[in-house]
Amino acid sequence: QLELDPPLDVFMGGGRRYYDSRREDGRDLLEEHKDKFTIIGSRDELNQQKSFWESNPPSRLKPLVGLFADDNMMYEVDRKEAPQSTRQPSIQEMTTAAVSRLQATGRKFCLVVEGSRIDHALHADDAGAAAYDAIAFDEAFGEVIELVKNDESVQVFSVADHSTGGLTVGAQRDWELWYSQDICHQNQSCDAGIGTYPYGTTDGWHPEVIAAARSSIANMAAKMCCDPEMRASSNRRVAYVKQTLDIDATFEEEAAFTAAVARLHDDFECSDDIHHFTHGKEVGRACTMPTEYTLSRMQEYAARVKFTTMGHTSVDIHVYAHGTERLKVAGTMENNEVGQKVIEEVMGMDLSPITQALQECDIPAKPET
């Protein structure tokens, strides 16, 4: 993004370590391009920039780079609990700032906003983190609609590339076997077990359990495995879970936490950025992975929700649209068709040259070994 010519007007998010001197190639792209961009790294700096845009002509505005985290941005549930002094901007704040910055140019623009941490939370079977990030994305979408509602030239589309996790609500608890009527064969023998199915209490679910979460499960697991005092005390771990998720751990769950921390040697230390650590390849994953799994199952059971996978699912996804061109994406279609319709029919761009160039590329379907 930093080396595009002409450059992007604005891009914001996490991933600072992939732009500064910590890159694998040793280059510091931020230093190399500091004269070309306005580079910021905090919520306060973003607010200062917004004031600058409002009081200066477009000719004085340089492209904006906002990198607010070394790796992934925080989950919204963790961001909201962070101290004000270090709190990252929300997706709503970044989105409205980006719209303001682009409108200040006086030119037509295309803005892409990704709520990527919803997918991360669902891959981790973390219903609480997923809910908080989904709500945050919805708030950003609503804010954009409010900003452009009187401008018929602006079109807004929201779509996912897939569903993740297979989350359902109303999961059964306290399962018992219920037997259908006995099935008798011609020889008069009967099989009472044929036609059985699990039966349990399925009335409703408990969204208040999800709302009570005060941390992502990944963040909790990192703390339970990284903090020496937490590792040393089962009582501390159980109290922390109760305080953070408002769920009481069973004896079996408490034992699972103890088994997880036992995999680490006493002087084990986490990396400084626990959000990077929990998605890295460090030895600590031997503790955090089973801890995350146990916490996820606890939240599932208490809220009466259920994940079917930690991967992607093939269910239909929704498209939300605002503007005079919204009906271009109405109906049922393949997800790649949504992008084609927006680019070709709404933005008026011709994809055929790019399509032809890609088709002519001599790229093997399977890399040669």
Side-chain angles (χ1 to χ4, degrees):
Q1 294 98 321
L2 290 175
E3 297 185 343
L4 288 175
D5 188 23
L8 297 174
D9 288 296
V10 56
F11 69 93
M12 293 183 281
R16 193 179 189 94
R17 66 170 69 240
Y18 304 107
Y19 293 91
D20 63 19
S21 58
R22 289 171 291 181
R23 290 168 51 90
E24 291 184 2
D25 60 10
R27 292 179 63 189
D28 188 335
L29 299 179
L30 301 180
E31 180 65 25
E32 291 177 21
H33 298 282
K34 64 181 181 181
D35 296 331
K36 183 179 175 182
F37 296 90
T38 297
I39 301 172
I40 62 174
S42 72
R43 191 181 183 205
D44 286 342
E45 289 178 313
L46 180 60
N47 290 330
Q48 292 168 10
Q49 282 298 308
K50 290 167 66 176
S51 298
F52 181 78
W53 303 334
E54 294 169 357
S55 57
N56 285 274
S59 59
R60 292 198 60 192
L61 306 184
K62 292 196 294 186
L64 177 73
V65 177
L67 298 173
F68 306 108
D70 280 345
D71 204 85
N72 288 313
M73 296 288 284
M74 285 184 174
Y75 285 114
E76 176 66 9
V77 64
D78 297 327
R79 189 197 71 83
K80 295 178 70 160
E81 295 295 319
Q84 281 284 356
S85 59
T86 60
R87 186 173 298 176
Q88 298 169 353
S90 68
I91 189 171
Q92 177 182 343
E93 291 168 337
M94 288 187 288
T95 301
T96 54
V99 172
S100 173
R101 172 65 179 81
L102 292 168
Q103 287 179 327
T105 66
R107 305 191 307 268
K108 292 182 179 180
F109 63 86
C110 175
L111 173 65
V112 178
V113 179
E114 182 181 16
S116 62
R117 303 244 64 189
I118 303 171
D119 177 67
H120 294 172
L122 292 171
H123 274 298
D125 287 2
D126 186 343
Y132 273 94
D133 267 85
I135 292 170
F137 184 85
D138 181 66
E139 290 173 346
F141 184 79
E143 185 68 19
V144 170
I145 300 302
E146 186 64 26
L147 287 172
V148 304
K149 66 181 181 182
N150 296 321
D151 187 347
E152 291 188 356
S153 69
V154 178
Q155 312 300 318
V156 185
F157 300 91
S158 176
V159 63
D161 51 350
H162 54 72
S163 174
T164 301
L167 179 64
T168 61
V169 298
Q172 290 178 321
R173 285 176 46 172
D174 306 321
W175 286 36
E176 300 173 357
L177 286 179
W178 181 91
Y179 293 90
S180 64
Q181 183 177 357
D182 294 348
I183 297 178
C184 298
H185 302 283
Q186 290 183 351
N187 61 6
Q188 301 302 309
S189 65
C190 298
D191 295 323
I194 295 178
T196 64
Y197 65 92
Y199 174 83
T201 55
T202 59
D203 294 334
W205 63 298
H206 298 295
E208 67 275 11
V209 173
I210 306 300
R214 291 295 173 263
S215 172
S216 66
I217 284 175
N219 197 47
M220 290 182 66
K223 184 170 184 177
M224 293 168 72
C225 294
C226 293
D227 187 311
E229 293 184 356
M230 195 79 74
R231 290 209 305 268
S233 171
S234 178
N235 288 339
R236 283 182 180 269
R237 292 191 294 271
V238 171
Y240 173 63
V241 172
K242 174 63 175 177
Q243 175 188 355
T244 310
L245 294 182
D246 196 24
I247 300 174
D248 293 308
T250 65
F251 175 80
E252 291 79 7
E253 290 158 352
E254 184 178 350
F257 295 143
T258 300
V261 298
R263 295 184 174 94
L264 303 176
H265 47 79
D266 292 339
D267 59 351
F268 173 80
E269 294 183 1
C270 291
S271 60
D272 293 336
D273 185 350
I274 60 175
H275 294 281
H276 175 68
F277 160 79
T278 55
H279 292 281
K281 298 180 180 179
E282 290 86 344
V283 66
R285 290 298 276 167
C287 175
T288 58
M289 287 186 71
T291 302
E292 286 182 37
Y293 179 85
T294 302
L295 291 169
S296 174
R297 301 292 83 79
M298 291 173 66
Q299 192 176 61
E300 274 187 334
Y301 187 83
R304 293 195 185 183
V305 302
K306 189 68 178 176
F307 288 93
T308 60
T309 179
M310 297 182 82
H312 299 161
T313 66
S314 58
V315 300
D316 288 347
I317 54 176
H318 297 135
V319 183
Y320 302 92
H322 168 86
T324 56
E325 302 290 335
R326 63 187 181 277
L327 295 182
K328 289 282 175 56
V329 293
T332 301
M333 64 189 75
E334 295 292 333
N335 61 354
N336 62 297
E337 291 182 72
V338 177
Q340 290 174 344
K341 286 180 176 290
V342 171
I343 293 173
E344 293 182 327
E345 299 182 23
V346 177
M347 300 178 67
M349 299 173 64
D350 184 6
L351 287 175
S352 56
I354 299 175
T355 302
Q356 182 177 350
L358 289 172
Q359 291 173 341
E360 292 174 354
C361 288
D362 186 18
I363 301 175
K366 183 178 181 181
E368 297 179 2
T369 56

